[in-house]
Amino acid sequence: MAEETTLRLQQVICPSCKRPINTFNPNKLMAECPYCHSKMVNPLVKPKDVPVPERIIPFTTNEQTFENALTNALINQDYVPTNIFEAISTGDVIQAYLPMYLFEGTYNASWSCESSYMDQKVKVGSNSVSTKDVKKWRPQNGNAAGNFAFLCLANEGNEIPEELRQFTRLFPYDVMMSKEYADGMIDFNDENMMTLERNADETLVWQKHGKDMVEETAKNAALNQIGNQEIRNFRASSSWNLTTKGKYVYAPFWFVYYNYAGGQFHFLMDGIGQRTEYSYPVNQEEVDFVNGKEKIKGYVTWLWVLALLLWYVFNFTTAFVYLIIWLIGKIVVNKMMDKQIQERLEDSKAKRQAGANRI
């Protein structure tokens, strides 16, 4: 086996939150923790060698693309505080190449189930014959096959927060977007560029995550064959042929962490702009405002029961007139409440938009 090429990796332990931070930048004198934003200096650096990846998926997005995705998501998300962008600094955005293992192969899934269909049941009476629609079930089976290609995170440590680990754990692989790794493809002097050490065995990663991913892919392929039919007792068994096991690949990601009102939140995006995931603080005052309007709508809805009392105390005509008045009032109140809710949410959205324009 050819000897692995290695790079010098710096591992910095944050003195505040104690999380390790890794970056391919051996000449960097200062580092900032992307989690708690503490500054750290060179004495904390522990040099070590790490293997060079075989392939890399280059970034097709830039920091502006990431920031646009972040601002658009938070602007359009209801119940986000109007001053949210005062808590987010674009200087805290991290660009990362994370170590991944590539798994490629083919799968085959044999499946069976019962699917529903409508039939007519004939009922013969003494003087008539009637039919009735009834639901019946019939057996159905098939076979689904295809190819799979995906990346699994090649790091099992605690260097990154759990939400980032979950987001990066599985990554779709497009061979047209990857390139053979070569020197100079990563700017090691970029202050915001980071990576993690590859510290997980490819066989263990396959057993822990890869097999489940293939089984899920095979199951979904079987369900796609069935379509929108109503089914029951679905079963699927899958097999696979693994043609690429654990090829070392770098995959690109963007992320930023920020604090608001004592809580920590995040926005994550892959480096090709296909997926995002985020958490956000909630404006409880706005939630209470909307819930209050919805309660008013609920109270008005239940006022129809007074018609029963009017019918009992007076007569049907009085109850019927009340129901007409109630229905008109309900329509008017619902429209008023919906309008007030919409105006409040649109006003908050406009304020978030103004805040985003200032960063």
Side-chain angles (χ1 to χ4, degrees):
M1 182 180 292
E3 184 178 351
E4 275 191 322
T5 305
T6 60
L7 285 174
R8 180 69 56 166
L9 171 68
Q10 286 191 69
Q11 188 176 62
V12 182
I13 307 300
C14 176
S16 296
C17 66
K18 307 303 180 185
R19 288 177 173 172
I21 306 163
N22 297 290
T23 176
F24 288 128
N25 191 348
N27 300 314
K28 186 176 180 182
L29 297 178
M30 296 291 295
E32 181 178 349
C33 177
Y35 315 112
C36 68
H37 308 297
S38 299
K39 300 286 186 180
M40 57 213 73
V41 293
N42 198 42
L44 297 175
V45 175
K46 300 177 182 178
K48 61 191 305 183
D49 292 329
V50 296
V52 169
E54 298 175 61
R55 299 191 68 83
I56 186 172
I57 301 175
F59 280 87
T60 58
T61 57
N62 54 32
E63 187 171 345
Q64 187 61 55
T65 308
F66 173 75
E67 291 172 9
N68 289 342
L70 181 154
T71 54
N72 288 336
L74 294 181
I75 287 170
N76 293 306
Q77 178 68 58
D78 289 333
Y79 309 116
V80 173
T82 56
N83 63 343
I84 183 64
F85 293 107
E86 296 178 10
I88 303 175
S89 171
T90 56
D92 297 332
V93 173
I94 298 296
Q95 184 179 10
Y97 275 111
L98 299 184
M100 313 288 281
Y101 283 133
L102 170 61
F103 299 105
E104 293 179 293
T106 59
Y107 66 85
N108 189 291
S110 299
W111 57 269
S112 64
C113 67
E114 292 178 288
S115 59
S116 68
Y117 68 98
M118 300 306 296
D119 199 359
Q120 287 192 330
K121 181 178 181 181
V122 179
K123 182 178 182 181
V124 181
S126 56
N127 298 315
S128 64
V129 176
S130 62
T131 60
K132 178 182 179 181
D133 290 335
V134 294
K135 181 191 294 185
K136 294 185 177 181
W137 300 89
R138 59 187 166 207
Q140 190 174 355
N141 58 72
N143 185 273
N147 303 316
F148 65 84
F150 56 86
L151 300 168
C152 288
L153 186 64
N155 180 284
E156 293 293 330
N158 60 356
E159 290 90 344
I160 60 176
E162 185 59 27
E163 61 276 354
L164 181 57
R165 177 171 296 281
Q166 291 294 334
F167 182 71
T168 59
R169 179 158 284 155
L170 293 172
F171 190 79
Y173 180 74
D174 185 344
V175 66
M176 299 301 293
M177 300 192 72
S178 73
K179 296 181 179 180
E180 185 176 351
Y181 183 83
D183 290 341
M185 298 187 76
I186 301 177
D187 183 4
F188 298 151
N189 293 316
D190 187 343
E191 291 286 330
N192 290 325
M193 179 67 72
M194 68 170 291
T195 188
L196 293 177
E197 178 185 359
R198 184 188 70 169
N199 64 4
D201 178 77
E202 61 267 28
T203 299
L204 294 178
V205 172
W206 167 255
Q207 293 291 334
K208 190 174 181 180
H209 305 295
K211 289 174 59 178
D212 292 341
M213 185 63 179
V214 175
E215 290 177 353
E216 186 69 20
T217 300
K219 178 182 176 182
N220 290 336
L223 292 173
N224 286 336
Q225 283 190 347
I226 297 172
N228 295 323
Q229 302 178 69
E230 183 182 3
I231 63 172
R232 68 182 186 183
N233 298 327
F234 174 80
R235 295 182 179 87
S237 60
S238 59
S239 61
W240 55 82
N241 178 35
L242 191 60
T243 57
T244 302
K245 180 183 178 181
K247 180 177 286 188
Y248 187 21
V249 180
Y250 266 166
F253 296 93
W254 294 97
F255 62 94
V256 67
Y257 281 80
Y258 61 95
N259 296 308
Y260 184 93
Q264 187 181 67
F265 307 92
H266 63 269
F267 190 90
L268 318 173
M269 186 178 81
D270 64 57
I272 56 180
Q274 293 184 349
R275 294 186 305 141
T276 61
E277 193 276 326
Y278 61 97
S279 62
Y280 58 91
V282 173
N283 185 343
Q284 191 58 46
E285 181 181 343
E286 193 159 86
V287 172
D288 293 341
F289 175 87
V290 172
N291 287 340
K293 302 303 178 183
E294 293 292 345
K295 284 182 180 179
I296 292 175
K297 291 165 61 177
Y299 294 150
V300 172
T301 297
W302 280 100
L303 287 177
W304 72 270
V305 297
L306 291 178
L308 300 176
L309 179 62
L310 293 174
W311 191 358
Y312 177 79
V313 174
F314 297 101
N315 51 51
F316 173 78
T317 302
T318 302
F320 182 73
V321 171
Y322 170 80
L323 281 176
I324 294 176
I325 297 173
W326 166 81
L327 180 59
I328 295 172
K330 180 178 183 296
I331 294 173
V332 171
V333 169
N334 283 358
K335 286 187 175 181
M336 289 177 57
M337 296 300 101
D338 289 342
K339 181 181 179 182
Q340 290 180 23
I341 291 172
Q342 188 64 29
E343 288 177 346
R344 176 65 181 263
L345 296 179
E346 288 181 354
D347 179 63
S348 294
K349 181 178 178 180
K351 290 178 179 178
R352 289 194 296 273
Q353 179 69 69
N357 292 338
R358 289 192 292 268
I359 64 173

